Amino acid sequence: MAVILRTEGLNKDYRLGGFGRAKIITALDDVNINVESDRPVIISVVGESGSGKTTLAKTLLRLVEPSAGRAIVYDKVVAGKGAQPSKRDFMKSVQPIFQNPFEAFSRYRPVDAYLFETADRVAGLQAKEAEASVDHALVAVGLDLADVRGKYSNQFSGGELQRISIARALIPDPSLIVADEPVSMIDASRRMIIINLFKRLRDEQGRSFLYITHDLATAYYISDFVAVMNKGRVVEFGAARDVMGNPQHDYTRLLLSSIPTTRSRWRPRSRIAG
Ligand SMILES: Nc1ncnc2c1ncn2[C@@H]1O[C@H](COP(=O)(O)OP(=O)(O)OP(=O)(O)O)[C@@H](O)[C@H]1O
Ligand SMILES: [Mg+2]
């Protein structure tokens, strides 16, 4: 079995202010999670605003250096002490999808330029292979190069643009995709397209996902594992069925009860989702 994701005593302190008045914010406080599996998985991270979800994502993406501890992705130390792979190897294996697809692509540059840039700089592909790889990635998200070539971000809907950013993430053939609130800026009617795409990419292409969200309904619907965060700590972690079907921790119960639907509406909604 592979260690798909493991964090060991992961800690991140942000220091604010100068001498004397320095204030420390502990964004990650001894985070320990462990997912071992033969098959690719979707791991959701839920928790209220400020609980440390984005900091966890950024640590795994090497955008933030942990203050202590380390993280392992597919058996490689990717963050903290002993982080092994070179930046390029690392970027091939872990790829991000961000919240706002309109921020990910400049209005002044055709979106396919980003895809070809990733094919060249991250995946290291030659022109001809790059063309095939970009098209292949776009087909995987329900588009193709002919739909996209020469167009700018304002010529796409938020949902389409998010699918293009997923295609960009696929080009280096990553094993883990870290998606921080990938559907929160997307029209509610289009969210399930993205969510189902994650499932399909897990099942058909063997990608694992770290899916960060406020939306417990979609987390429940797609996750194999769920981590519940509160104030920098993982307060509950386990198989999605256990964590959300039978929460052990008061905070998880609170989070589940704060879904803006009643318990009885929650069931039909998740059935629609399925
Ligand atoms: N660069 C930074 N400098 C200082 N403090 C930061 C920085 N980034 C995050 N924080 C603080 O760390 C804590 C965790 O923030 P983080 O962005 O990880 O939360 P989050 O769970 O992603 O929240 P949200 O759901 O609102 O996106 C918060 O208290 C935040 O204010
Ligand atoms: Mg966040």
Side-chain angles (χ1 to χ4, degrees):
M1 282 218 285
V3 172
I4 293 182
L5 174 65
R6 175 185 293 163
T7 63
E8 296 173 350
L10 202 61
N11 213 94
K12 177 65 191 177
D13 291 331
Y14 288 112
R15 199 175 295 272
L16 296 178
F19 290 107
R21 287 194 295 158
K23 190 182 163 209
I24 291 182
I25 292 175
T26 302
L28 294 178
D29 185 1
D30 193 25
V31 169
N32 295 285
I33 54 181
N34 186 25
V35 177
E36 291 179 44
S37 170
D38 292 326
R39 290 184 298 163
V41 293
I42 298 176
I43 307 158
S44 287
V45 180
V46 301
E48 67 189 22
S49 189
S51 57
K53 304 182 298 296
T54 294
T55 305
L56 176 62
K58 285 186 172 168
T59 312
L60 299 176
L61 290 165
R62 284 202 182 172
L63 299 172
V64 151
E65 183 68 23
S67 310
R70 58 178 197 162
I72 296 162
V73 172
Y74 277 87
D75 295 320
K76 280 187 196 147
V77 181
V78 297
K81 223 182 180 159
Q84 288 156 345
S86 70
K87 185 89 180 172
R88 186 159 177 173
D89 286 347
F90 163 76
M91 283 175 72
K92 280 187 180 183
S93 57
V94 186
Q95 278 287 311
I97 299 168
F98 294 110
Q99 183 168 16
N100 188 345
F102 290 98
E103 271 173 15
F105 300 99
S106 154
R107 290 174 52 194
Y108 306 106
R109 194 171 174 225
V111 294
D112 58 322
Y114 289 87
L115 303 175
F116 283 107
E117 185 178 78
T118 299
D120 173 27
R121 298 226 190 123
V122 184
L125 300 174
Q126 305 298 318
K128 219 174 174 175
E129 296 169 300
E131 185 97 359
S133 163
V134 167
D135 188 50
H136 193 252
L138 286 165
V139 169
V141 302
L143 298 162
D144 64 43
L145 191 48
D147 297 329
V148 168
R149 206 192 288 273
K151 287 194 192 164
Y152 293 82
S153 58
N154 64 340
Q155 296 175 276
F156 296 99
S157 72
E160 286 167 337
L161 213 50
Q162 195 60 305
R163 275 149 62 204
I164 295 168
S165 68
I166 295 166
R168 195 207 52 75
L170 294 174
I171 291 168
D173 193 22
S175 8
L176 179 72
I177 293 178
V178 175
D180 191 356
E181 309 257 12
V183 296
S184 65
M185 309 286 285
I186 289 170
D187 195 78
S189 65
R190 305 285 179 83
R191 284 185 191 158
M192 287 318 289
I193 295 173
I194 305 283
I195 296 300
N196 283 317
L197 186 56
F198 289 169
K199 268 192 155 175
R200 236 187 45 231
L201 293 171
R202 175 194 63 188
D203 298 338
E204 292 174 9
Q205 297 196 352
R207 319 270 177 209
S208 288
F209 286 84
L210 189 78
Y211 170 58
I212 294 177
T213 185
H214 279 104
D215 180 10
L216 285 120
T218 57
Y220 185 67
Y221 171 62
I222 59 165
S223 315
D224 301 290
F225 294 89
V226 175
V228 181
M229 293 192 71
N230 182 27
K231 295 183 183 141
R233 297 186 140 256
V234 171
V235 294
E236 194 151 3
F237 175 74
R241 208 178 313 118
D242 299 338
V243 170
M244 301 185 79
N246 182 22
Q248 295 303 303
H249 199 282
D250 285 346
Y251 180 74
T252 312
R253 291 196 193 111
L254 189 72
L255 212 56
L256 286 167
S257 69
S258 68
I259 295 172
T261 51
T262 65
R263 204 76 181 133
S264 58
R265 273 198 61 201
W266 157 261
R267 284 173 215 279
R269 255 186 80 186
S270 58
R271 208 161 51 222
I272 291 165

